[in-house]
Amino acid sequence: MSTVTEQRTFDSLDPATGAVVGTHPIHDAASVRAAVEAAGEAARWWARLGFAERKRRLLDFKAVLTRNLERVATKIHQETGKPMGDATLETAITIVHLDWAARHARRVLGPRRVSPGLVGINMAATLEYLPLGVVGVIGPWNYPLFTPMGSIGYALAAGNAVVFKPSELTPGVGVLLAELFAESVPEHKVLQVVTGFGETGAALAADPGVGKIAFTGSTATAKRVMAACAANLTPIVAECGGKDALIVDEGADLAAAADAALWGAMSNAGQTCVGVERVYVVAGVYDAFMRELTERAGALRTGEDYGPITMPSQTEVIRRHVDDALARGGKAVLGGAASVRPPYVDPVVLTDVPEESSAVREETFGPTITVTRVATAEEALEKTNAVAYGLGGTIFSGDARRAMELARAMLSGMTAINSVISFVGVPALPFGGVGDSGFGRIHGADGLREFTRAKSITRQRFPLPGMNLTSFTRTPAELQRLVKMVTILHGRRKS
């Protein structure tokens, strides 16, 4: 007599109340294997549709998302605790990115002629970017729609099928996303969701049928995912968080800079990979900036302007960073250790925090900010670049040329000038970091190419008389003709 093993499940919770939002299966390695196999078949069908039909389907999916915007935002709000306004903004920006990926895939990835050069003058050369097949996406909980869709949407537009493993804290967002996608693409399982904990994600990373993994999470977890991928030489694009800085230079609009610093640090309860965690202010404007910042920060309403800490264990990280900063001589001009009252953390503004403290060097991921007085913007840049992370950053300055110079010198994947996190709203710009913030890019043309393999093709149009160089019948005279041509073309030093 056979027995059926009941599938294990887990609950997703509202972090503000602890109420159960939904119950989801814990997919094991066998379930992941089955999903990847189904995705492989779906990927072949999806790729054969071509750019035009995929564009039509994806734009239809975009319309479905738009019609269900409030429903999607509500699920984000329930599982993360962020205010409905922020959840709505996240959904809206996701829709904008999906539209860009669908409309630009052919231009970026489609076949195009490449000049063969004089040596290959008898050749026709083409380049195109072909889909990888199945892309595995392991998503985060802080932006459970926008961040993974930066990989999912672009991977789909490039012709891949996707198996998405959402965070165990926000599985319902992923499940709803797949349900809405199936309304536009019902024929095959082009987008599937597997739910569970770290073991489910590890199974996806280790599956030999996956052509690439897109991961967002901590640096430590990224290393474990890379280790799982290594068994099959599966490539990975990794976004691993940051410790972003905002530099305030002489001549900056201080009211705008303070407003940007506050939003960058406190929105989504500080749980933003490209959020502002450090501020460096030139001495001449430091006092005025601090007045602007503390006045604004003091007016924030915890639980209304931003929500709870989504991952319960993060409150202890925030507490540790604040305690360490104060123990090392830092001052709390707003809030302090008592601000940590799970599941909420009230705004914390710290000054005079030593650069070696954890509040400066490690990702806090909470509504806290350190503000440091510096002599010059160059000193601010040196301190900004001294940490291991390099995701985003911000420059506020009244001098556009100087701001551009500072932005270029900042060791980060993205920098905003006189605005905060504005690069996220430009779909054509690539998104990703350096150092401990990871590697690879999502969004933009780079994000489309990230989920493809380059395919080069040459076709001989006619034989080249006297230049049969790739044959055992090649003569010394033919080789000498090549040497003469190369010498004429490349032998002279040019200024």
Side-chain angles (χ1 to χ4, degrees), residues 251-271:
D253 181 333
L254 299 183
D259 186 67
L262 189 65
W263 170 262
M266 308 295 172
S267 63
N268 200 30
Q271 300 167 117

Side-chain angles (χ1 to χ4, degrees), residues 267-325:
S267 63
N268 200 30
Q271 300 167 117
T272 303
C273 297
V274 287
V276 177
E277 296 207 1
R278 302 175 290 153
V279 179
Y280 296 102
V281 187
V282 172
V285 297
Y286 177 85
D287 291 336
F289 174 83
M290 286 302 299
R291 286 193 295 272
E292 292 278 357
L293 179 66
T294 53
E295 181 180 352
R296 285 172 165 78
L300 283 181
R301 300 160 299 172
T302 307
E304 295 184 43
D305 293 317
Y306 65 81
I309 302 303
T310 305
M311 186 167 69
S313 61
Q314 195 65 28
T315 57
E316 290 309 309
V317 175
I318 299 167
R319 190 194 308 274
R320 175 171 61 82
H321 285 191
V322 174
D323 287 345
D324 180 66

Side-chain angles (χ1 to χ4, degrees), residues 344-421:
Y344 293 96
V345 176
D346 296 324
V348 179
V349 179
L350 302 167
T351 61
D352 301 327
V353 180
E355 290 294 298
E356 65 272 14
S357 70
S358 57
V360 173
R361 306 199 73 82
E362 301 174 15
E363 188 173 40
T364 305
F365 234 51
T368 71
I369 192 170
T370 65
V371 187
T372 303
R373 186 196 307 261
V374 293
T376 65
E378 286 70 27
E379 180 188 352
L381 186 65
E382 181 180 353
K383 292 181 183 297
T384 294
N385 291 344
V387 303
Y389 292 102
L391 193 55
T394 309
I395 308 288
F396 268 83
S397 175
D399 186 329
R401 174 177 289 185
R402 179 173 172 80
M404 285 296 294
E405 291 174 352
L406 292 168
R408 289 192 183 100
M410 183 178 282
L411 292 179
S412 63
M414 303 81 60
T415 302
I417 296 175
N418 294 339
S419 59
V420 66
I421 320 180

